């Protein structure tokens, strides 16, 4: 099942609303890029790399020492998010927006399975965070703006600090052809 089949229309509209609200709090419009670091400051989130966390559980440390992970919330209050510094800048943006998606949707923090060292993620939460993360990066109205300006996928990606893959994903799930 695709993400749009798994998530209700109502939920997806709510995500666009949250994205608009967060931009509004920063006096940004739908067509303005929203850098992850700006949203991090707004949410009082501290973004860390694994090296900045000295007291990391050994099995978590093993997991973090690979390319197989993107980012994760390690503390809720204060909000600390660990991010994989090996990823590209566009990937960093989408990784962090996904985590902010969890925060804004008030998902419960994920625990690590002590036997495998892997995070015990709930797929429905992951799907929701991915969807909201995409809205935060490129709102539907931002995508329409880019279409009106006849921007290419590449130009749109650069404008929103996103990957071209993210532009295509947003185009697919919103039905806005770019
Ligand atoms: Zn997640």
């Amino acid at each position: 099942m695709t993400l749009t089949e798994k998530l209700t229309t109502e939920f997806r509209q709510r995500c666009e609303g949250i994205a608009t609200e967060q931009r509004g709090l920063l006096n940004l419009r739908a067509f303005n890029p929203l850098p992850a670091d700006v949203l991090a400051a707004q949410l009082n989130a501290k973004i860390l790399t694994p090296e900045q966390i000295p007291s990391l559980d050994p099995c978590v440390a093993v997991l973090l020492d690979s390319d197989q992970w993107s980012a994760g919330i390690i503390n809720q209050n204060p909000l600390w998010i660990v991010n994989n510094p090996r990823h590209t800048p566009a990937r960093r943006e989408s990784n962090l927006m996904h985590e902010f998606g969890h925060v804004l949707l008030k998902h419960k923090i994920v625990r690590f399975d002590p036997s495998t060292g892997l995070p015990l993620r709930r797929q429905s939460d992951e799907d929701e965070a991915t969807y909201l993360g995409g809205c935060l990066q490129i709102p539907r109205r931002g995508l329409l703006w880019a279409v009106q300006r006849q921007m290419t996928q590449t130009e749109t990606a650069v404008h929103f600090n996103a990957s071209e893959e993210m532009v295509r994903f947003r185009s697919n799930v919103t039905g806005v052809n770019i």
Side-chain angles (χ1 to χ4, degrees):
M1 255 202 317
T2 64
L3 211 49
T4 46
E5 287 165 340
K6 285 195 271 187
L7 302 169
T8 64
T9 306
E10 187 187 32
F11 174 80
R12 290 186 278 136
Q13 281 170 352
R14 187 178 146 218
C15 287
E16 295 289 349
I18 293 171
T20 302
E21 190 184 1
Q22 292 301 315
R23 272 183 167 68
L25 292 169
L26 290 158
N27 291 318
L28 296 176
R29 307 280 300 275
F31 55 79
N32 293 130
L34 171 54
D37 285 322
V38 171
L39 187 53
Q42 157 129 310
L43 297 172
N44 289 317
K46 193 170 181 180
I47 311 300
L48 305 159
T49 59
E51 294 75 32
Q52 291 172 296
I53 314 160
S55 61
L56 214 56
D57 185 294
C59 58
V60 178
V62 169
L63 176 71
L64 295 188
D65 191 30
S66 79
D67 291 328
Q68 301 303 310
W69 67 285
S70 50
I73 297 166
I74 53 167
N75 198 61
Q76 246 169 343
N77 194 16
L79 182 57
W80 288 357
I81 296 174
V82 63
N83 176 65
N84 191 336
R86 300 171 187 221
H87 289 173
T88 63
R91 181 78 190 275
R92 177 183 188 272
E93 292 290 306
S94 71
N95 292 345
L96 292 176
M97 289 306 196
H98 173 99
E99 298 307 326
F100 298 146
H102 283 303
V103 172
L104 291 165
L105 292 167
K106 299 182 170 53
H107 289 159
K108 281 200 198 116
I109 193 164
V110 169
R111 303 268 163 232
F112 285 85
D113 183 337
S115 60
T116 63
L118 295 171
L120 296 162
R121 300 188 199 279
R122 274 185 303 274
Q123 192 54 46
S124 59
D125 282 2
E126 295 314 311
D127 293 341
E128 291 185 1
T130 295
Y131 198 86
L132 178 52
C135 292
L136 290 166
Q137 240 188 321
I138 313 177
R140 185 173 192 277
R141 280 166 47 218
L143 207 52
L144 286 168
W145 169 86
V147 170
Q148 278 164 6
R149 290 173 58 104
Q150 299 185 316
M151 286 163 72
T152 63
Q153 288 185 359
T154 307
E155 288 166 342
T156 307
V158 170
H159 177 79
F160 286 104
N161 309 308
S163 63
E164 291 185 39
E165 189 187 357
M166 175 59 78
V167 173
R168 285 191 288 275
F169 167 74
R170 291 294 292 149
S171 173
N172 285 337
V173 296
T174 58
V176 176
N177 284 316
I178 185 156

